[in-house]
Amino acid sequence: MNPPTADANNPLKSAIAAKRVLVCVGAGGVGKTTVSAALGVRAAMANRSALVCTIDPARRLANALGLRELGNTETRIPDSALHQAGIHPGAPLFGMMLDMKQSWDAFIEKNTPPDQREKILGNRLYQSISTRLAGSQEYIAMEKLWELRNRNDYDVLVLDTPPTAHALDFLEAPKRVLDFFDNDAARFLMTPALLAGKVGLQFLHLGGSFATKTLAKLTGVQLLQDIANLLLATRSLHDTFRERAKGVRQMLEAPESTFVLVTTPNPERLNEAIRFHQLLKESALDIAAIVVNRVQISPSAEQKAAAASAPSPTRERLLETLAEQSKVAEEDTRGIAMLQTSCAGTPLIQVPRFELDVHDIEGLSATAKYLVGERQVPSDTLS
Amino acid sequence: MSSSLTQRLFFVTGKGGVGKSTVASALALAFSQRGERTLLCELNANDRVAQLLERPPPGPDIQQLEPNLWAVDIRPAEAMREYALMILKFSAVYRTVFENRLVRHFLRLIPSLQELVMIGKIFFHLRETLPGGEPRFSRIVVDAPATGHALSFLRLPQVLLETVPPGPLAKEAEVMRKLLVDPAVSASVLVTLPEELPLQETFELAQSLEERVGLHHALTVLNSFTAPRFDDADQTQIAGNPLLEPVMGHHQQRVAQSQEALNRLRGLRAPVALVPLFFFGKFGREAVEQTARALRPWVEPSGRLESASSGGAL
């Protein structure tokens, strides 16, 4: 087993001190939002102004950060909320909750000529495409991150990414969105009409290949026309998308950016984490650390001895409880060892399972202590 | 608490990580074990339920896993193909058109077409009949996506009706929507944990499903429920012992959280099924079997419920 990381070279502590962009990734339900928020709190405590950008609509956590009424704008977390938990930041902490629809609308408004704007925003397909297209959430989250980074208002940006079903969705999001709007296929199918700029009832006859006609059987003519109209209106966006996707990519690859991979010791989640880790490595992206959240700590030998000497039936009840905890702890230890082997070279940071689930600022503060190495899960005490 | 699960189609959903797949598998298993022909559907999930049930993965074609239990992993490409073939009738046409790389690309422009054909496949199997005329599957259990995605997935027929002009797609969407909002046909099973964030999501989801989808909420499953273990005498015994107090405290904390969760969930319209916290080395068949046992009272025909008590003794 690896020795516990010494405080001085805790990888997240150095990331908070030196990096400018921290991207927290992982499956849904592993505590990504909590880790993101805790990293933001720590950055502020380390005298670096920080913005935590979350997409998690879980309100209690948002409330704890003072984010109750927020939409798509950055809001300062009131010092009073932090002081209550004994946190005294040396720099301001901000938070925001990304609203997908608003972010897309703002993006379109900023990047399209005025005469096309209304055509896009008013297209009945636009809304569902912008909010439901695979990768569109991931894309707009990174797009926002890029914009914020370029604005340079904060020392550290922490992005809590959307819970991604497949790790690939996240890394491929810019490419997918780019593909989507820069669509050779659609242009191939409809070129004559598109070029003429008169996409009307006749376009199927004009551009009407066998394929187009067959598609229309499936979708109806009107739907194909709506799509054509949207494509026509978004034509000017192709270059913007390409340029921005490149910008996002460069930002993620820059030495000032790093990824924090969050998981729990659950075998299914660990397998996903390993896949994600591999993918990030293949893409030559920097991983500061893997955070293993909600680790069960083994009961100590002293506890077992004390339980064994209690009178019956208390003894049996205590022993059963200890046996359950040991079982979970053993399983966690095994899983973490497997993770360590599969992700050799990347530091692991363990955060214990707390008595209460973390949804307030005290919980965040406790999580943060483990993240930066001020507290550590005791190394394996199994006898 | 007189309602058992009478619908034919169940969407099992909840926050990520609450045990949706286990509950979906267990529910399907429980139906099949009482002799009902049951189909367990996953949505592009890499055959997770088969892993849980410790059976060979079914893949995109329906496979029988055990007596009365079939499974399928519905994948967008295959579902698209089936749908197109149903409409176009000729596979030569399909191949010419749909296997064209550029056309495939184009299809992605149609909002949520992938999800629509996936949902369409579920409803297709719901309406399928055997030569004798009886339904091919008497129950279908869907391991649905987590909260946010589940909501947009289930709202799809409605959204399409609003965004897509009249035509073949809109017609399909209307048929699906009707079946989806019929409380005699379809229902949701919401899975949650005795933890704050999953609970909150359950309440929000229950409300959204009711108001925005119109899907009947048939059952809430409270997973990882901890029943009381230590009594007053134990507490007196242990009080003041610095080694043992945390052991008991940890357990009692979970008991208190479980009890609070149950009380809050009782505010919802649907009854609550309790599934105890399991301590298995590996989450697999054993966990699914135990969960199925806890769900059994809810899959009994109504009227037999009185004698059955749910998973946790209170």
PDB file of all heavy atoms in Angstrom, chain A residues 296 320 324-325 328 353, chain B residues 193-195 222-227 229 250-251 254-255 258 274-280 283 287 290-291 294 311-312:
ATOM      1  N   GLN A 296     -15.341   3.782   3.567  1.00  0.00           N
ATOM      2  CA  GLN A 296     -15.650   3.288   4.915  1.00  0.00           C
ATOM      3  C   GLN A 296     -14.349   2.992   5.652  1.00  0.00           C
ATOM      4  O   GLN A 296     -13.479   2.293   5.142  1.00  0.00           O
ATOM      5  CB  GLN A 296     -16.505   2.023   4.815  1.00  0.00           C
ATOM      6  CG  GLN A 296     -16.734   1.303   6.144  1.00  0.00           C
ATOM      7  CD  GLN A 296     -17.662   2.078   7.081  1.00  0.00           C
ATOM      8  OE1 GLN A 296     -18.753   2.478   6.687  1.00  0.00           O
ATOM      9  NE2 GLN A 296     -17.224   2.277   8.314  1.00  0.00           N
ATOM     10  N   GLU A 320     -22.251  -7.396  15.417  1.00  0.00           N
ATOM     11  CA  GLU A 320     -22.870  -7.419  14.090  1.00  0.00           C
ATOM     12  C   GLU A 320     -22.613  -6.096  13.349  1.00  0.00           C
ATOM     13  O   GLU A 320     -22.274  -6.083  12.165  1.00  0.00           O
ATOM     14  CB  GLU A 320     -24.383  -7.670  14.225  1.00  0.00           C
ATOM     15  CG  GLU A 320     -25.027  -7.969  12.886  1.00  0.00           C
ATOM     16  CD  GLU A 320     -26.535  -8.172  12.977  1.00  0.00           C
ATOM     17  OE1 GLU A 320     -27.079  -8.213  14.102  1.00  0.00           O
ATOM     18  OE2 GLU A 320     -27.162  -8.272  11.907  1.00  0.00           O
ATOM     19  N   GLU A 324     -20.418  -5.583   9.929  1.00  0.00           N
ATOM     20  CA  GLU A 324     -20.918  -4.908   8.728  1.00  0.00           C
ATOM     21  C   GLU A 324     -19.949  -3.832   8.259  1.00  0.00           C
ATOM     22  O   GLU A 324     -19.622  -3.737   7.080  1.00  0.00           O
ATOM     23  CB  GLU A 324     -22.291  -4.280   9.007  1.00  0.00           C
ATOM     24  CG  GLU A 324     -23.409  -5.290   9.154  1.00  0.00           C
ATOM     25  CD  GLU A 324     -24.682  -4.670   9.740  1.00  0.00           C
ATOM     26  OE1 GLU A 324     -24.673  -3.470  10.097  1.00  0.00           O
ATOM     27  OE2 GLU A 324     -25.683  -5.394   9.842  1.00  0.00           O
ATOM     28  N   GLN A 325     -19.482  -3.047   9.227  1.00  0.00           N
ATOM     29  CA  GLN A 325     -18.554  -1.963   8.861  1.00  0.00           C
ATOM     30  C   GLN A 325     -17.253  -2.534   8.295  1.00  0.00           C
ATOM     31  O   GLN A 325     -16.710  -2.007   7.318  1.00  0.00           O
ATOM     32  CB  GLN A 325     -18.251  -1.080  10.075  1.00  0.00           C
ATOM     33  CG  GLN A 325     -19.447  -0.219  10.474  1.00  0.00           C
ATOM     34  CD  GLN A 325     -19.175   0.608  11.726  1.00  0.00           C
ATOM     35  OE1 GLN A 325     -18.074   0.616  12.259  1.00  0.00           O
ATOM     36  NE2 GLN A 325     -20.202   1.307  12.191  1.00  0.00           N
ATOM     37  N   VAL A 328     -17.735  -3.707   4.652  1.00  0.00           N
ATOM     38  CA  VAL A 328     -17.736  -2.593   3.693  1.00  0.00           C
ATOM     39  C   VAL A 328     -16.316  -2.042   3.545  1.00  0.00           C
ATOM     40  O   VAL A 328     -15.840  -1.788   2.433  1.00  0.00           O
ATOM     41  CB  VAL A 328     -18.705  -1.477   4.149  1.00  0.00           C
ATOM     42  CG1 VAL A 328     -18.641  -0.296   3.185  1.00  0.00           C
ATOM     43  CG2 VAL A 328     -20.120  -2.014   4.222  1.00  0.00           C
ATOM     44  N   ARG A 353     -16.449   8.219   4.383  1.00  0.00           N
ATOM     45  CA  ARG A 353     -17.905   8.365   4.431  1.00  0.00           C
ATOM     46  C   ARG A 353     -18.238   9.058   5.741  1.00  0.00           C
ATOM     47  O   ARG A 353     -17.855   8.603   6.807  1.00  0.00           O
ATOM     48  CB  ARG A 353     -18.524   6.967   4.407  1.00  0.00           C
ATOM     49  CG  ARG A 353     -20.007   6.920   4.559  1.00  0.00           C
ATOM     50  CD  ARG A 353     -20.477   5.479   4.517  1.00  0.00           C
ATOM     51  NE  ARG A 353     -20.495   4.960   3.160  1.00  0.00           N
ATOM     52  CZ  ARG A 353     -21.442   5.261   2.272  1.00  0.00           C
ATOM     53  NH1 ARG A 353     -22.429   6.064   2.604  1.00  0.00           N
ATOM     54  NH2 ARG A 353     -21.408   4.761   1.069  1.00  0.00           N
TER      55      ARG A 353
ATOM     56  N   LEU B 193     -32.589   6.956  -1.563  1.00  0.00           N
ATOM     57  CA  LEU B 193     -31.783   6.527  -0.422  1.00  0.00           C
ATOM     58  C   LEU B 193     -32.120   7.409   0.772  1.00  0.00           C
ATOM     59  O   LEU B 193     -32.588   8.535   0.601  1.00  0.00           O
ATOM     60  CB  LEU B 193     -30.295   6.725  -0.726  1.00  0.00           C
ATOM     61  CG  LEU B 193     -29.633   5.843  -1.774  1.00  0.00           C
ATOM     62  CD1 LEU B 193     -28.187   6.277  -1.967  1.00  0.00           C
ATOM     63  CD2 LEU B 193     -29.688   4.386  -1.347  1.00  0.00           C
ATOM     64  N   PRO B 194     -31.855   6.938   1.991  1.00  0.00           N
ATOM     65  CA  PRO B 194     -32.092   7.802   3.153  1.00  0.00           C
ATOM     66  C   PRO B 194     -31.006   8.865   3.279  1.00  0.00           C
ATOM     67  O   PRO B 194     -30.338   8.955   4.294  1.00  0.00           O
ATOM     68  CB  PRO B 194     -32.093   6.833   4.347  1.00  0.00           C
ATOM     69  CG  PRO B 194     -31.503   5.575   3.865  1.00  0.00           C
ATOM     70  CD  PRO B 194     -31.404   5.602   2.378  1.00  0.00           C
ATOM     71  N   GLU B 195     -30.800   9.638   2.246  1.00  0.00           N
ATOM     72  CA  GLU B 195     -29.822  10.727   2.268  1.00  0.00           C
ATOM     73  C   GLU B 195     -30.489  11.958   1.686  1.00  0.00           C
ATOM     74  O   GLU B 195     -31.377  11.852   0.858  1.00  0.00           O
ATOM     75  CB  GLU B 195     -28.595  10.369   1.422  1.00  0.00           C
ATOM     76  CG  GLU B 195     -27.755   9.258   2.024  1.00  0.00           C
ATOM     77  CD  GLU B 195     -26.674   8.765   1.067  1.00  0.00           C
ATOM     78  OE1 GLU B 195     -26.319   9.520   0.147  1.00  0.00           O
ATOM     79  OE2 GLU B 195     -26.219   7.628   1.260  1.00  0.00           O
ATOM     80  N   LEU B 222     -37.368   2.797  -1.084  1.00  0.00           N
ATOM     81  CA  LEU B 222     -36.333   3.378  -0.230  1.00  0.00           C
ATOM     82  C   LEU B 222     -35.269   2.311  -0.007  1.00  0.00           C
ATOM     83  O   LEU B 222     -35.467   1.346   0.719  1.00  0.00           O
ATOM     84  CB  LEU B 222     -36.949   3.852   1.090  1.00  0.00           C
ATOM     85  CG  LEU B 222     -35.993   4.449   2.126  1.00  0.00           C
ATOM     86  CD1 LEU B 222     -35.165   5.591   1.557  1.00  0.00           C
ATOM     87  CD2 LEU B 222     -36.759   4.923   3.359  1.00  0.00           C
ATOM     88  N   ASN B 223     -34.144   2.514  -0.675  1.00  0.00           N
ATOM     89  CA  ASN B 223     -33.037   1.568  -0.625  1.00  0.00           C
ATOM     90  C   ASN B 223     -32.174   1.815   0.610  1.00  0.00           C
ATOM     91  O   ASN B 223     -32.225   2.885   1.180  1.00  0.00           O
ATOM     92  CB  ASN B 223     -32.171   1.789  -1.873  1.00  0.00           C
ATOM     93  CG  ASN B 223     -32.100   0.549  -2.740  1.00  0.00           C
ATOM     94  OD1 ASN B 223     -32.364  -0.553  -2.279  1.00  0.00           O
ATOM     95  ND2 ASN B 223     -31.749   0.739  -3.990  1.00  0.00           N
ATOM     96  N   SER B 224     -31.373   0.829   0.971  1.00  0.00           N
ATOM     97  CA  SER B 224     -30.423   0.983   2.084  1.00  0.00           C
ATOM     98  C   SER B 224     -31.097   1.419   3.374  1.00  0.00           C
ATOM     99  O   SER B 224     -30.595   2.257   4.103  1.00  0.00           O
ATOM    100  CB  SER B 224     -29.342   2.022   1.738  1.00  0.00           C
ATOM    101  OG  SER B 224     -28.630   1.613   0.621  1.00  0.00           O
ATOM    102  N   PHE B 225     -32.260   0.847   3.628  1.00  0.00           N
ATOM    103  CA  PHE B 225     -32.996   1.189   4.842  1.00  0.00           C
ATOM    104  C   PHE B 225     -32.388   0.458   6.031  1.00  0.00           C
ATOM    105  O   PHE B 225     -32.099  -0.741   5.959  1.00  0.00           O
ATOM    106  CB  PHE B 225     -34.462   0.785   4.669  1.00  0.00           C
ATOM    107  CG  PHE B 225     -35.333   1.182   5.817  1.00  0.00           C
ATOM    108  CD1 PHE B 225     -35.898   2.456   5.865  1.00  0.00           C
ATOM    109  CD2 PHE B 225     -35.577   0.300   6.860  1.00  0.00           C
ATOM    110  CE1 PHE B 225     -36.697   2.831   6.927  1.00  0.00           C
ATOM    111  CE2 PHE B 225     -36.370   0.673   7.928  1.00  0.00           C
ATOM    112  CZ  PHE B 225     -36.938   1.939   7.963  1.00  0.00           C
ATOM    113  N   THR B 226     -32.171   1.175   7.120  1.00  0.00           N
ATOM    114  CA  THR B 226     -31.617   0.552   8.329  1.00  0.00           C
ATOM    115  C   THR B 226     -32.670   0.533   9.432  1.00  0.00           C
ATOM    116  O   THR B 226     -33.152   1.589   9.845  1.00  0.00           O
ATOM    117  CB  THR B 226     -30.370   1.318   8.812  1.00  0.00           C
ATOM    118  OG1 THR B 226     -29.435   1.391   7.738  1.00  0.00           O
ATOM    119  CG2 THR B 226     -29.713   0.617   9.987  1.00  0.00           C
ATOM    120  N   ALA B 227     -33.026  -0.656   9.877  1.00  0.00           N
ATOM    121  CA  ALA B 227     -34.005  -0.805  10.954  1.00  0.00           C
ATOM    122  C   ALA B 227     -33.294  -0.678  12.299  1.00  0.00           C
ATOM    123  O   ALA B 227     -32.097  -0.943  12.392  1.00  0.00           O
ATOM    124  CB  ALA B 227     -34.687  -2.159  10.830  1.00  0.00           C
ATOM    125  N   ARG B 229     -31.671  -1.337  15.859  1.00  0.00           N
ATOM    126  CA  ARG B 229     -31.000  -2.519  16.389  1.00  0.00           C
ATOM    127  C   ARG B 229     -30.751  -2.365  17.890  1.00  0.00           C
ATOM    128  O   ARG B 229     -30.933  -3.302  18.651  1.00  0.00           O
ATOM    129  CB  ARG B 229     -29.677  -2.718  15.650  1.00  0.00           C
ATOM    130  CG  ARG B 229     -28.834  -3.852  16.179  1.00  0.00           C
ATOM    131  CD  ARG B 229     -27.561  -4.031  15.370  1.00  0.00           C
ATOM    132  NE  ARG B 229     -27.848  -4.574  14.054  1.00  0.00           N
ATOM    133  CZ  ARG B 229     -27.002  -4.491  13.016  1.00  0.00           C
ATOM    134  NH1 ARG B 229     -25.845  -3.875  13.156  1.00  0.00           N
ATOM    135  NH2 ARG B 229     -27.312  -5.011  11.854  1.00  0.00           N
ATOM    136  N   HIS B 250     -23.053   5.465  14.946  1.00  0.00           N
ATOM    137  CA  HIS B 250     -23.044   5.359  13.496  1.00  0.00           C
ATOM    138  C   HIS B 250     -24.311   4.641  13.019  1.00  0.00           C
ATOM    139  O   HIS B 250     -24.976   5.067  12.087  1.00  0.00           O
ATOM    140  CB  HIS B 250     -21.792   4.571  13.095  1.00  0.00           C
ATOM    141  CG  HIS B 250     -21.618   4.397  11.630  1.00  0.00           C
ATOM    142  ND1 HIS B 250     -21.113   5.375  10.827  1.00  0.00           N
ATOM    143  CD2 HIS B 250     -21.894   3.341  10.816  1.00  0.00           C
ATOM    144  CE1 HIS B 250     -21.077   4.937   9.573  1.00  0.00           C
ATOM    145  NE2 HIS B 250     -21.542   3.717   9.545  1.00  0.00           N
ATOM    146  N   HIS B 251     -24.603   3.540  13.708  1.00  0.00           N
ATOM    147  CA  HIS B 251     -25.782   2.758  13.339  1.00  0.00           C
ATOM    148  C   HIS B 251     -27.059   3.545  13.596  1.00  0.00           C
ATOM    149  O   HIS B 251     -27.957   3.600  12.758  1.00  0.00           O
ATOM    150  CB  HIS B 251     -25.795   1.440  14.119  1.00  0.00           C
ATOM    151  CG  HIS B 251     -26.794   0.461  13.590  1.00  0.00           C
ATOM    152  ND1 HIS B 251     -28.096   0.416  14.049  1.00  0.00           N
ATOM    153  CD2 HIS B 251     -26.708  -0.472  12.612  1.00  0.00           C
ATOM    154  CE1 HIS B 251     -28.754  -0.525  13.384  1.00  0.00           C
ATOM    155  NE2 HIS B 251     -27.938  -1.076  12.511  1.00  0.00           N
ATOM    156  N   ARG B 254     -27.877   6.123  11.109  1.00  0.00           N
ATOM    157  CA  ARG B 254     -28.497   5.586   9.892  1.00  0.00           C
ATOM    158  C   ARG B 254     -29.967   5.243  10.132  1.00  0.00           C
ATOM    159  O   ARG B 254     -30.813   5.432   9.266  1.00  0.00           O
ATOM    160  CB  ARG B 254     -27.737   4.345   9.408  1.00  0.00           C
ATOM    161  CG  ARG B 254     -26.438   4.675   8.691  1.00  0.00           C
ATOM    162  CD  ARG B 254     -26.145   3.623   7.633  1.00  0.00           C
ATOM    163  NE  ARG B 254     -26.388   2.286   8.115  1.00  0.00           N
ATOM    164  CZ  ARG B 254     -25.444   1.464   8.549  1.00  0.00           C
ATOM    165  NH1 ARG B 254     -24.192   1.821   8.512  1.00  0.00           N
ATOM    166  NH2 ARG B 254     -25.758   0.270   8.988  1.00  0.00           N
ATOM    167  N   VAL B 255     -30.244   4.723  11.345  1.00  0.00           N
ATOM    168  CA  VAL B 255     -31.636   4.408  11.697  1.00  0.00           C
ATOM    169  C   VAL B 255     -32.471   5.684  11.659  1.00  0.00           C
ATOM    170  O   VAL B 255     -33.557   5.718  11.073  1.00  0.00           O
ATOM    171  CB  VAL B 255     -31.714   3.749  13.089  1.00  0.00           C
ATOM    172  CG1 VAL B 255     -33.163   3.622  13.555  1.00  0.00           C
ATOM    173  CG2 VAL B 255     -31.027   2.397  13.073  1.00  0.00           C
ATOM    174  N   SER B 258     -32.977   6.851   8.179  1.00  0.00           N
ATOM    175  CA  SER B 258     -33.924   5.978   7.480  1.00  0.00           C
ATOM    176  C   SER B 258     -35.349   6.320   7.881  1.00  0.00           C
ATOM    177  O   SER B 258     -36.252   6.392   7.048  1.00  0.00           O
ATOM    178  CB  SER B 258     -33.646   4.509   7.812  1.00  0.00           C
ATOM    179  OG  SER B 258     -32.364   4.143   7.361  1.00  0.00           O
ATOM    180  N   LEU B 274     -39.605  -0.779   1.402  1.00  0.00           N
ATOM    181  CA  LEU B 274     -38.301  -0.659   2.063  1.00  0.00           C
ATOM    182  C   LEU B 274     -37.387  -1.800   1.654  1.00  0.00           C
ATOM    183  O   LEU B 274     -37.764  -2.963   1.711  1.00  0.00           O
ATOM    184  CB  LEU B 274     -38.486  -0.677   3.579  1.00  0.00           C
ATOM    185  CG  LEU B 274     -39.442   0.372   4.152  1.00  0.00           C
ATOM    186  CD1 LEU B 274     -39.547   0.217   5.663  1.00  0.00           C
ATOM    187  CD2 LEU B 274     -38.965   1.771   3.788  1.00  0.00           C
ATOM    188  N   VAL B 275     -36.190  -1.451   1.226  1.00  0.00           N
ATOM    189  CA  VAL B 275     -35.187  -2.463   0.909  1.00  0.00           C
ATOM    190  C   VAL B 275     -34.034  -2.254   1.878  1.00  0.00           C
ATOM    191  O   VAL B 275     -33.459  -1.172   1.930  1.00  0.00           O
ATOM    192  CB  VAL B 275     -34.688  -2.329  -0.547  1.00  0.00           C
ATOM    193  CG1 VAL B 275     -33.581  -3.335  -0.831  1.00  0.00           C
ATOM    194  CG2 VAL B 275     -35.838  -2.495  -1.528  1.00  0.00           C
ATOM    195  N   PRO B 276     -33.727  -3.296   2.689  1.00  0.00           N
ATOM    196  CA  PRO B 276     -32.685  -3.096   3.701  1.00  0.00           C
ATOM    197  C   PRO B 276     -31.307  -2.871   3.082  1.00  0.00           C
ATOM    198  O   PRO B 276     -31.056  -3.252   1.946  1.00  0.00           O
ATOM    199  CB  PRO B 276     -32.724  -4.393   4.513  1.00  0.00           C
ATOM    200  CG  PRO B 276     -33.436  -5.381   3.675  1.00  0.00           C
ATOM    201  CD  PRO B 276     -34.320  -4.630   2.738  1.00  0.00           C
ATOM    202  N   LEU B 277     -30.433  -2.250   3.850  1.00  0.00           N
ATOM    203  CA  LEU B 277     -29.035  -2.082   3.454  1.00  0.00           C
ATOM    204  C   LEU B 277     -28.371  -3.455   3.481  1.00  0.00           C
ATOM    205  O   LEU B 277     -28.453  -4.184   4.468  1.00  0.00           O
ATOM    206  CB  LEU B 277     -28.368  -1.142   4.464  1.00  0.00           C
ATOM    207  CG  LEU B 277     -26.896  -0.815   4.281  1.00  0.00           C
ATOM    208  CD1 LEU B 277     -26.647  -0.164   2.943  1.00  0.00           C
ATOM    209  CD2 LEU B 277     -26.443   0.114   5.393  1.00  0.00           C
ATOM    210  N   PHE B 278     -27.744  -3.819   2.359  1.00  0.00           N
ATOM    211  CA  PHE B 278     -27.099  -5.134   2.290  1.00  0.00           C
ATOM    212  C   PHE B 278     -25.607  -5.006   2.519  1.00  0.00           C
ATOM    213  O   PHE B 278     -25.005  -4.008   2.169  1.00  0.00           O
ATOM    214  CB  PHE B 278     -27.322  -5.770   0.915  1.00  0.00           C
ATOM    215  CG  PHE B 278     -28.768  -5.993   0.591  1.00  0.00           C
ATOM    216  CD1 PHE B 278     -29.301  -5.480  -0.582  1.00  0.00           C
ATOM    217  CD2 PHE B 278     -29.586  -6.702   1.450  1.00  0.00           C
ATOM    218  CE1 PHE B 278     -30.634  -5.676  -0.895  1.00  0.00           C
ATOM    219  CE2 PHE B 278     -30.922  -6.897   1.144  1.00  0.00           C
ATOM    220  CZ  PHE B 278     -31.447  -6.384  -0.030  1.00  0.00           C
ATOM    221  N   PHE B 279     -25.023  -6.037   3.052  1.00  0.00           N
ATOM    222  CA  PHE B 279     -23.574  -6.050   3.250  1.00  0.00           C
ATOM    223  C   PHE B 279     -22.965  -7.211   2.499  1.00  0.00           C
ATOM    224  O   PHE B 279     -22.476  -8.160   3.090  1.00  0.00           O
ATOM    225  CB  PHE B 279     -23.235  -6.116   4.739  1.00  0.00           C
ATOM    226  CG  PHE B 279     -23.699  -4.896   5.474  1.00  0.00           C
ATOM    227  CD1 PHE B 279     -24.939  -4.865   6.066  1.00  0.00           C
ATOM    228  CD2 PHE B 279     -22.897  -3.771   5.526  1.00  0.00           C
ATOM    229  CE1 PHE B 279     -25.376  -3.727   6.722  1.00  0.00           C
ATOM    230  CE2 PHE B 279     -23.339  -2.631   6.179  1.00  0.00           C
ATOM    231  CZ  PHE B 279     -24.579  -2.605   6.777  1.00  0.00           C
ATOM    232  N   PHE B 280     -23.054  -7.143   1.189  1.00  0.00           N
ATOM    233  CA  PHE B 280     -22.444  -8.195   0.383  1.00  0.00           C
ATOM    234  C   PHE B 280     -21.099  -7.715  -0.078  1.00  0.00           C
ATOM    235  O   PHE B 280     -20.881  -6.533  -0.278  1.00  0.00           O
ATOM    236  CB  PHE B 280     -23.283  -8.498  -0.857  1.00  0.00           C
ATOM    237  CG  PHE B 280     -24.677  -8.902  -0.527  1.00  0.00           C
ATOM    238  CD1 PHE B 280     -25.734  -8.278  -1.144  1.00  0.00           C
ATOM    239  CD2 PHE B 280     -24.917  -9.892   0.402  1.00  0.00           C
ATOM    240  CE1 PHE B 280     -27.026  -8.641  -0.842  1.00  0.00           C
ATOM    241  CE2 PHE B 280     -26.211 -10.259   0.701  1.00  0.00           C
ATOM    242  CZ  PHE B 280     -27.265  -9.630   0.086  1.00  0.00           C
ATOM    243  N   PHE B 283     -21.935  -6.631  -5.434  1.00  0.00           N
ATOM    244  CA  PHE B 283     -23.312  -6.371  -5.777  1.00  0.00           C
ATOM    245  C   PHE B 283     -23.697  -7.150  -7.010  1.00  0.00           C
ATOM    246  O   PHE B 283     -23.326  -6.824  -8.112  1.00  0.00           O
ATOM    247  CB  PHE B 283     -23.543  -4.875  -5.985  1.00  0.00           C
ATOM    248  CG  PHE B 283     -24.455  -4.340  -4.944  1.00  0.00           C
ATOM    249  CD1 PHE B 283     -24.073  -4.350  -3.623  1.00  0.00           C
ATOM    250  CD2 PHE B 283     -25.718  -3.908  -5.284  1.00  0.00           C
ATOM    251  CE1 PHE B 283     -24.926  -3.895  -2.644  1.00  0.00           C
ATOM    252  CE2 PHE B 283     -26.586  -3.454  -4.308  1.00  0.00           C
ATOM    253  CZ  PHE B 283     -26.184  -3.447  -2.978  1.00  0.00           C
ATOM    254  N   ALA B 287     -27.840  -9.645  -4.248  1.00  0.00           N
ATOM    255  CA  ALA B 287     -28.490  -8.373  -3.920  1.00  0.00           C
ATOM    256  C   ALA B 287     -29.813  -8.241  -4.667  1.00  0.00           C
ATOM    257  O   ALA B 287     -30.814  -7.775  -4.107  1.00  0.00           O
ATOM    258  CB  ALA B 287     -27.567  -7.216  -4.275  1.00  0.00           C
ATOM    259  N   GLN B 290     -32.428 -10.552  -3.036  1.00  0.00           N
ATOM    260  CA  GLN B 290     -32.902 -10.002  -1.759  1.00  0.00           C
ATOM    261  C   GLN B 290     -33.836  -8.818  -1.986  1.00  0.00           C
ATOM    262  O   GLN B 290     -34.835  -8.654  -1.299  1.00  0.00           O
ATOM    263  CB  GLN B 290     -31.713  -9.524  -0.918  1.00  0.00           C
ATOM    264  CG  GLN B 290     -30.787 -10.631  -0.513  1.00  0.00           C
ATOM    265  CD  GLN B 290     -31.015 -11.065   0.923  1.00  0.00           C
ATOM    266  OE1 GLN B 290     -32.074 -10.808   1.488  1.00  0.00           O
ATOM    267  NE2 GLN B 290     -30.030 -11.720   1.511  1.00  0.00           N
ATOM    268  N   THR B 291     -33.460  -7.988  -2.966  1.00  0.00           N
ATOM    269  CA  THR B 291     -34.295  -6.828  -3.273  1.00  0.00           C
ATOM    270  C   THR B 291     -35.639  -7.302  -3.815  1.00  0.00           C
ATOM    271  O   THR B 291     -36.695  -6.769  -3.450  1.00  0.00           O
ATOM    272  CB  THR B 291     -33.585  -5.899  -4.281  1.00  0.00           C
ATOM    273  OG1 THR B 291     -32.292  -5.588  -3.773  1.00  0.00           O
ATOM    274  CG2 THR B 291     -34.352  -4.616  -4.489  1.00  0.00           C
ATOM    275  N   ALA B 294     -37.831  -8.198  -1.061  1.00  0.00           N
ATOM    276  CA  ALA B 294     -38.416  -7.029  -0.398  1.00  0.00           C
ATOM    277  C   ALA B 294     -39.540  -6.411  -1.223  1.00  0.00           C
ATOM    278  O   ALA B 294     -40.453  -5.796  -0.675  1.00  0.00           O
ATOM    279  CB  ALA B 294     -37.326  -5.989  -0.127  1.00  0.00           C
ATOM    280  N   GLY B 311     -39.911  -4.778   3.531  1.00  0.00           N
ATOM    281  CA  GLY B 311     -38.570  -5.240   3.883  1.00  0.00           C
ATOM    282  C   GLY B 311     -38.092  -4.942   5.289  1.00  0.00           C
ATOM    283  O   GLY B 311     -37.494  -5.791   5.920  1.00  0.00           O
ATOM    284  N   GLY B 312     -38.310  -3.775   5.817  1.00  0.00           N
ATOM    285  CA  GLY B 312     -37.753  -3.437   7.115  1.00  0.00           C
ATOM    286  C   GLY B 312     -38.796  -3.580   8.209  1.00  0.00           C
ATOM    287  O   GLY B 312     -39.919  -3.129   8.070  1.00  0.00           O
TER     288      GLY B 312
END
